[in-house]
Amino acid sequence: MFAYIKGTVEEKNNDSIIVEAGGIGYRIFTALSTINNMGQNGTTVKIYTHYYVREDIAVLYGFGTVEELTMFEMLLTVSGVGPKAAISMISTLSPSRFYLAVVSQDTKSLTKAPGIGMKMAQRIILDLKDKISKEQLTSSIPMTSPENNEVTGDSVLSEAVSALMVLGYGSAEASSTISGIYEKGISVEELVKKALKSL
Amino acid sequence: MFAYIKGTVEEKNNDSIIVEAGGIGYRIFTALSTINNMGQNGTTVKIYTHYYVREDIAVLYGFGTVEELTMFEMLLTVSGVGPKAAISMISTLSPSRFYLAVVSQDTKSLTKAPGIGMKMAQRIILDLKDKISKEQLTSSIPMTSPENNEVTGDSVLSEAVSALMVLGYGSAEASSTISGIYEKGISVEELVKKALKSL
Amino acid sequence: MFAYIKGTVEEKNNDSIIVEAGGIGYRIFTALSTINNMGQNGTTVKIYTHYYVREDIAVLYGFGTVEELTMFEMLLTVSGVGPKAAISMISTLSPSRFYLAVVSQDTKSLTKAPGIGMKMAQRIILDLKDKISKEQLTSSIPMTSPENNEVTGDSVLSEAVSALMVLGYGSAEASSTISGIYEKGISVEELVKKALKSL
Amino acid sequence: MFAYIKGTVEEKNNDSIIVEAGGIGYRIFTALSTINNMGQNGTTVKIYTHYYVREDIAVLYGFGTVEELTMFEMLLTVSGVGPKAAISMISTLSPSRFYLAVVSQDTKSLTKAPGIGMKMAQRIILDLKDKISKEQLTSSIPMTSPENNEVTGDSVLSEAVSALMVLGYGSAEASSTISGIYEKGISVEELVKKALKSL
């Protein structure tokens, strides 16, 4: 029902912020990353929200970007994943890294999020890998600066190849395309993005 | 509780629009026809809404006209018909065509809506045919231009006669009235409307 | 949660009105008497509301006075009495006549309300007679003009005496006080009010 | 969802106030102490609120300070403690006295609140004593003027010592520290606060 709240930041806590609009202070639970990226108290913000309603609870979860909100709502569709686990994931992986981890079945990246064990990571992959569209995988890929690139050349290549294979491309076609456009220092996301453009 | 939301269109998606009022962006799920008829982003609109509340959901459905909202709320009273099926029907048939299809037991028109099978069409007819008032049948009949008239002369006549019979008029009286006022190219709705005025 | 809505009347229907505040059109279900007493569309009103929430419904009921809202909320505490029956009662009896009917166990008056049978009237009396305070009985008594006085002299006297007895006064004391201040044409409410002031 | 409501006081009752914001009168249930401390009707206030939602109820509870709201929300986590009992406690003990009573297992103070029996007091202590942080114990300690100090010197000393012991300090260390800084007329809270600063 509430797609977003536009108002002034009144308070920042560990797990929530308060945004005022029309004389009402809305408490919005969110990820630490969202809180840290937020302006000082008094600045005007637009928080993309999810109205979470259960029998004895009605709370707002919110994020700085539509992509984070979409990722949050996708995670909630996975049985056993509640708001806390979803927020923990968003605090750990950006939407694009998350989609890539799911598509390339990279449980290691998923389990970096506190509270996400191997079993839950596997269930997330199982439930979501067919729901992640090509657009989500590429459109939300920010130009990651080299120093974010914690992975070595080989694993960049293999991660990119498996990402394409999950998207339905044959291994031969995936490998030849990837190796054809690979350059030293390129990130997995850029490699996959470039490959998808040339396929 | 929310009869309508008056605000500016901020975003249009496949199944919903976002309308901002008082700093709050309200996500309103609606029919594709409503979205297509809506002005550009930034225009001020008045969306007639239904506040749909269940144990773990609280969402707004909305429409460009009160007639569409009434049709939506009527469909929700039919057991087995949820918001998705109701919206699918609204995307397919205008309120007047819908009322006419129900009153004249025209399952063919009803099942044109994606997701509406024969059984559900019959249940809709069974549940609603006695609830559709003469006013709804006639007052919401837009002057359909000839090219919207997909049906041939004969079926226009027979549809109009059966519509009157469902409204309680005898077949003789219905047939004589209809044939007396029939003109080439006239639509079913206009024919029924004219007949009801002369009866 | 919503004590009242202050806004402009946008629409009046048989069982509800729409009041706009802050760009939101609030649909408020109410009694026909309230609708009829309301100003024309466009006038600013203050409707005293009750936010009625169940598992799959969230609606507003509203009234022109706090007394009517209090009467509505009191009736809802009686098991088996839902919003429809409460509104029917409010459309039939003013708060003061209602309190008097309950206090003087006048089932005849209560059952004048459509949908209120003898059994429900008795349950209303049983549940509410000890909850009606002396203030509610007297403070909300409007000066009823003579022509509203459908009852004869004798029944005015007896109704007033039984009202005092229900409020805990002895029959002797009640009868002597009532007969001492009785005047031709006085209404039951005025008689009870005058008696309570002299006791 | 609603962290606070900023608006004008429109009405004060025994158990609630009505605050208007954006044309909506919000009924906020609260403690008598909060109502008494509130300005006259028409003054602008900021009430810190808790949106209490159950299957058939959606109400706002609110307080004049964040500390009272935090105390209220903490009490609700104790099984068997509902809003009424929590409000009764807030009407009786300030947050700091409450935290101290819990930390020093002072059931006598807790049971001063109407409706709070010995059993509930013990359950409150059991559930909350490990959740009360050092900051809550000290930061919310108002400089209580001497005359609020209903307790004698000895019980001030013993209460302060047991408060430190509950916070994990050894009895020897607690006693020596307390007795070292004790002055006639000092309140328990000031004594504990001073001790915590020197430890």
Side-chain angles (χ1 to χ4, degrees):
Chain A
M1 171 167 171
F2 299 101
Y4 63 75
I5 308 273
K6 226 194 241 174
T8 48
V9 178
E10 292 295 326
E11 196 180 298
K12 294 206 262 188
N13 307 303
N14 305 346
D15 63 354
S16 69
I17 52 175
I18 297 179
V19 175
E20 182 176 317
I24 310 290
Y26 294 93
R27 179 180 306 280
I28 304 173
F29 291 93
T30 185
L32 207 51
S33 50
T34 302
I35 295 172
N36 295 338
N37 295 339
M38 201 126 287
Q40 289 312 315
N41 283 8
T43 45
T44 301
V45 292
K46 181 175 182 180
I47 306 289
Y48 298 95
T49 48
H50 175 89
Y51 187 36
Y52 185 78
V53 171
R54 291 296 176 273
E55 187 177 316
D56 53 4
I57 188 169
V59 290
L60 285 173
Y61 287 94
F63 305 94
T65 67
V66 177
E67 287 73 24
E68 285 174 335
L69 175 63
T70 309
M71 175 177 161
F72 178 76
E73 292 181 335
M74 252 191 167
L75 280 161
L76 289 190
T77 65
V78 179
S79 86
V81 175
K84 275 221 176 92
I87 285 209
S88 168
M89 186 68 84
I90 291 170
S91 291
T92 311
L93 293 178
S94 71
S96 55
R97 298 266 0 185
F98 169 71
Y99 293 134
L100 193 69
V102 170
V103 150
S104 54
Q105 318 211 9
D106 171 9
T107 50
K108 215 182 97 204
S109 290
L110 297 180
T111 49
K112 277 185 199 160
I116 308 280
M118 180 53 78
K119 218 166 194 177
M120 192 181 271
Q122 287 162 340
R123 213 180 307 137
I124 288 171
I125 290 172
L126 197 67
D127 278 21
L128 298 186
K129 69 180 170 38
D130 301 329
K131 290 184 188 167
I132 295 175
S133 67
K134 215 168 107 177
E135 292 71 34
Q136 272 170 324
L137 194 60
T138 56
S139 69
S140 60
I141 297 180
M143 283 305 123
T144 54
S145 53
E147 75 289 359
N148 285 14
N149 181 353
E150 306 116 29
V151 287
T152 63
D154 299 354
S155 67
V156 166
L157 276 161
S158 66
E159 264 199 62
V161 168
S162 52
L164 292 186
M165 285 170 64
V166 163
L167 286 173
Y169 295 95
S171 65
E173 189 185 22
S175 312
S176 66
T177 310
I178 290 292
S179 51
I181 57 171
Y182 178 74
E183 308 151 21
K184 199 169 167 351
I186 190 171
S187 74
V188 178
E189 287 119 25
E190 280 155 52
L191 199 50
V192 170
K193 198 171 164 181
K194 265 188 164 177
L196 289 171
K197 276 186 187 151
S198 67
L199 280 168
Chain B
M1 171 167 172
F2 300 100
Y4 62 75
I5 308 272
K6 227 193 240 174
T8 46
V9 179
E10 292 294 327
E11 196 181 297
K12 294 206 262 187
N13 306 304
N14 304 344
D15 62 354
S16 69
I17 52 175
I18 297 180
V19 175
E20 182 175 317
I24 310 290
Y26 293 92
R27 181 180 305 281
I28 304 174
F29 291 94
T30 186
L32 206 51
S33 49
T34 303
I35 296 173
N36 294 337
N37 294 339
M38 202 127 284
Q40 288 314 316
N41 284 6
T43 45
T44 301
V45 291
K46 181 175 182 180
I47 306 290
Y48 297 94
T49 48
H50 175 90
Y51 186 36
Y52 185 78
V53 170
R54 291 295 176 273
E55 187 176 319
D56 53 6
I57 188 170
V59 291
L60 284 173
Y61 288 93
F63 305 94
T65 67
V66 177
E67 289 73 23
E68 285 174 335
L69 175 63
T70 308
M71 175 176 162
F72 178 76
E73 293 181 335
M74 250 190 169
L75 279 162
L76 288 189
T77 65
V78 179
S79 87
V81 175
K84 275 219 176 93
I87 284 206
S88 168
M89 186 68 84
I90 291 170
S91 290
T92 310
L93 294 178
S94 70
S96 55
R97 300 259 6 182
F98 170 70
Y99 294 134
L100 194 68
V102 169
V103 152
S104 54
Q105 317 212 9
D106 170 10
T107 49
K108 214 182 96 201
S109 290
L110 297 180
T111 49
K112 279 184 199 160
I116 308 282
M118 181 53 78
K119 220 169 194 176
M120 191 181 268
Q122 288 163 340
R123 214 180 306 136
I124 288 171
I125 289 172
L126 197 67
D127 278 20
L128 297 186
K129 71 178 170 38
D130 302 329
K131 289 185 188 168
I132 293 175
S133 68
K134 212 168 108 179
E135 291 72 34
Q136 273 169 325
L137 193 62
T138 57
S139 71
S140 64
I141 296 179
M143 280 304 123
T144 53
S145 53
E147 74 288 358
N148 286 14
N149 181 353
E150 306 114 26
V151 286
T152 64
D154 298 353
S155 65
V156 166
L157 276 162
S158 68
E159 267 200 58
V161 168
S162 53
L164 292 187
M165 285 171 64
V166 164
L167 286 174
Y169 295 96
S171 66
E173 189 183 20
S175 313
S176 66
T177 310
I178 291 293
S179 52
I181 56 172
Y182 178 73
E183 304 151 25
K184 200 165 167 355
I186 190 171
S187 75
V188 178
E189 285 119 26
E190 282 157 52
L191 198 49
V192 170
K193 197 172 162 180
K194 267 189 164 178
L196 289 172
K197 277 184 185 152
S198 69
L199 281 169
Chain C
M1 169 166 173
F2 300 100
Y4 62 75
I5 308 271
K6 225 192 237 173
T8 47
V9 179
E10 291 296 329
E11 196 181 298
K12 294 205 261 187
N13 306 304
N14 304 344
D15 61 353
S16 69
I17 53 174
I18 297 180
V19 175
E20 182 175 317
I24 310 289
Y26 294 94
R27 182 182 303 282
I28 304 174
F29 291 95
T30 185
L32 207 51
S33 49
T34 304
I35 294 172
N36 295 336
N37 294 339
M38 202 128 282
Q40 288 312 317
N41 284 7
T43 46
T44 302
V45 291
K46 181 175 181 179
I47 305 291
Y48 297 94
T49 47
H50 175 90
Y51 186 34
Y52 186 78
V53 170
R54 291 295 178 270
E55 187 177 317
D56 54 6
I57 187 169
V59 292
L60 284 173
Y61 288 94
F63 304 94
T65 68
V66 177
E67 288 73 23
E68 285 174 337
L69 175 63
T70 308
M71 175 176 162
F72 178 76
E73 293 181 334
M74 249 190 167
L75 279 162
L76 288 190
T77 66
V78 179
S79 86
V81 175
K84 273 217 179 96
I87 284 207
S88 168
M89 187 66 86
I90 291 171
S91 290
T92 310
L93 293 179
S94 70
S96 54
R97 298 260 7 179
F98 170 70
Y99 294 135
L100 195 67
V102 170
V103 151
S104 54
Q105 317 212 10
D106 170 10
T107 49
K108 214 183 97 203
S109 290
L110 296 180
T111 50
K112 277 185 200 159
I116 308 280
M118 181 53 77
K119 224 173 192 174
M120 190 180 271
Q122 287 163 339
R123 213 180 307 136
I124 288 171
I125 290 172
L126 197 67
D127 279 21
L128 297 186
K129 71 177 168 42
D130 302 329
K131 291 185 189 167
I132 294 174
S133 68
K134 212 168 108 180
E135 292 71 36
Q136 272 170 326
L137 193 61
T138 58
S139 70
S140 62
I141 294 179
M143 281 304 121
T144 52
S145 54
E147 73 287 1
N148 285 14
N149 181 354
E150 305 118 25
V151 287
T152 64
D154 300 351
S155 64
V156 166
L157 275 162
S158 66
E159 266 200 59
V161 168
S162 53
L164 292 186
M165 284 171 63
V166 164
L167 286 174
Y169 294 96
S171 66
E173 189 184 20
S175 315
S176 66
T177 311
I178 290 293
S179 52
I181 56 171
Y182 178 73
E183 304 151 27
K184 199 167 169 347
I186 190 171
S187 74
V188 179
E189 285 119 25
E190 281 156 49
L191 197 49
V192 170
K193 195 171 163 180
K194 265 188 162 177
L196 288 172
K197 276 187 187 153
S198 69
L199 281 168
Chain D
M1 170 165 170
F2 299 100
Y4 62 75
I5 308 271
K6 226 191 236 173
T8 48
V9 178
E10 291 294 327
E11 197 180 295
K12 295 207 264 187
N13 307 304
N14 305 345
D15 63 353
S16 70
I17 53 174
I18 296 180
V19 175
E20 182 176 317
I24 310 290
Y26 294 92
R27 180 180 305 282
I28 305 173
F29 291 94
T30 185
L32 207 51
S33 50
T34 304
I35 295 173
N36 295 337
N37 294 341
M38 201 129 284
Q40 289 312 316
N41 284 7
T43 45
T44 302
V45 290
K46 181 175 180 179
I47 306 291
Y48 297 93
T49 48
H50 176 89
Y51 187 35
Y52 185 79
V53 170
R54 291 293 177 273
E55 188 178 314
D56 54 3
I57 188 169
V59 291
L60 284 173
Y61 288 93
F63 304 94
T65 67
V66 176
E67 288 74 25
E68 285 174 335
L69 175 63
T70 307
M71 176 177 161
F72 178 76
E73 292 181 334
M74 250 191 169
L75 279 161
L76 288 190
T77 64
V78 178
S79 87
V81 175
K84 274 220 176 89
I87 285 208
S88 167
M89 186 68 85
I90 290 170
S91 290
T92 311
L93 293 178
S94 70
S96 55
R97 299 263 4 182
F98 169 70
Y99 294 133
L100 194 69
V102 170
V103 151
S104 53
Q105 317 211 10
D106 169 11
T107 50
K108 215 181 98 203
S109 291
L110 296 181
T111 50
K112 277 183 197 159
I116 308 279
M118 180 56 77
K119 219 169 196 177
M120 192 182 270
Q122 288 162 340
R123 212 180 307 135
I124 288 172
I125 290 173
L126 197 68
D127 278 21
L128 298 185
K129 70 178 168 42
D130 301 330
K131 290 186 188 166
I132 294 175
S133 68
K134 215 169 101 180
E135 293 72 35
Q136 271 170 325
L137 194 61
T138 58
S139 70
S140 61
I141 295 179
M143 281 304 125
T144 53
S145 53
E147 76 287 357
N148 285 14
N149 180 356
E150 305 118 27
V151 286
T152 64
D154 300 353
S155 64
V156 166
L157 275 161
S158 65
E159 265 199 61
V161 168
S162 51
L164 292 186
M165 284 170 65
V166 164
L167 287 172
Y169 293 96
S171 67
E173 188 184 21
S175 313
S176 65
T177 310
I178 291 292
S179 53
I181 55 171
Y182 177 74
E183 306 150 25
K184 199 168 167 347
I186 189 171
S187 73
V188 179
E189 285 119 27
E190 280 157 52
L191 198 49
V192 170
K193 195 169 162 181
K194 264 189 165 175
L196 289 172
K197 277 189 188 148
S198 68
L199 281 167

